[in-house]
Structures are given as C-alpha cells and as structure tokens.
Amino acid sequence: MAIENPPRERIKEILEGAGNIAVVGLSDDPEKTSHQVSAAMQAKGYRIIPVNPNAERILGETCYASLKDIPEPVDIVNVFRRPEHTPAVAADAAAIGAKVLWLQLGIANDEAAEIARKGGLEVIMDRCIKVEDSILLPGGRAGR
C-alpha cells in the first residue's frame, strides 16, 4: 500500500506552524546534504535539533543520541536515514508526541508511514523539506 503525501496546501500549513524540527541523521560534515538542508532551514528561522549519537554539537545546537533524549516538544521529525531504519524512527517519533514524520527526498517506507499514522503523526515522504519550504514559503514564514 502506497502512502500519499498531504496536499501542498497542508504541507505549507505544516511548515508555517513548525517550530522545533528534530533532524535524525544530521551530519556534522558541512559537505553532506543533511547538514546543508538543516543549515538552510535554520537560517530561515526554524529551530533545528540534531539527532546524531556521534556528535556533541551541530549548527550550534546540542546533539541528542535519539529522539527520546530530546527534552522539549518536537513538531517535525525530519529523517536523513536509509529506508530500512525509518520504522524505528517512526516509532520513536510517535513515542515523543511529534506532529509530523518527514522522510527526505529519496526516502520512503510504507511500514514507517503506517507506524507514524497509527501514532497520530502526519507523514510526508520522498520530499525535501528545504525545497518545499522554498517553493511554498518563498518570502519566509509569516509571524516567525
């Protein structure tokens, strides 16, 4: 069963309302896509919370070993991990009460989507959060 992404208008609403974005698989290497995308989102005013057990700080923010270690609410869990790792991430995202599971461009997993949906999360797969933000909110986010 293929899970469909929400309509573009809903994705825009999600981005407008997002505060904290936990980035699972955020690399401390500035050459990596996860770092570049997260830096661009941070520059646009989103709060990036790195999830990487192998780093202490990325983009000036404290890193956490897992989603369950983050001591504050998370709006979007943005995932830069291979598809086979995403069901466990989805389960953790549901466990912490995140609102959205966002699998980056090139990443899709129906099992992860089902876990997230059953946990009350909206699911976006195979889309780049930076590209969507640039298209849907070219002038930035209102009120942020």
Side-chain angles (χ1 to χ4, degrees):
M1 168 183 89
I3 304 286
E4 297 211 9
N5 285 324
R8 275 270 167 83
E9 188 54 43
R10 178 62 192 136
I11 293 174
K12 181 179 179 182
E13 291 170 2
I14 289 168
L15 290 168
E16 285 175 333
N20 292 342
I21 300 175
V23 183
V24 177
L26 175 50
S27 175
D28 58 357
D29 180 351
E31 298 297 314
K32 299 281 186 179
T33 302
S34 64
H35 192 281
Q36 294 168 0
V37 166
S38 298
M41 295 300 286
Q42 187 181 59
K44 287 196 73 176
Y46 295 94
R47 167 93 193 291
I48 299 299
I49 302 173
V51 179
N52 179 333
N54 302 314
E56 288 187 26
R57 295 186 72 78
I58 301 175
L59 297 172
E61 295 283 349
T62 299
C63 284
Y64 295 93
S66 76
L67 288 172
K68 291 181 176 181
D69 294 327
I70 298 172
E72 57 191 292
V74 172
D75 296 309
I76 297 174
V77 174
N78 186 23
V79 184
F80 285 90
R81 299 284 319 271
R82 289 192 314 265
E84 62 267 25
H85 297 291
T86 59
V89 174
D92 285 353
I96 67 165
K99 297 175 185 170
V100 178
L101 177 71
W102 190 308
L103 304 184
Q104 274 296 129
L105 189 64
I107 306 168
N109 184 300
D110 288 343
E111 180 187 358
E114 197 57 37
I115 290 167
R117 287 233 168 85
K118 285 181 179 172
L121 284 78
E122 288 190 77
V123 178
I124 299 169
M125 297 192 297
D126 194 22
R127 292 261 177 100
C128 177
I129 196 168
K130 177 182 174 289
V131 170
E132 294 299 312
D133 183 75
S134 297
I135 292 168
L136 298 171
L137 301 172
R141 299 181 305 152
R144 292 257 174 208

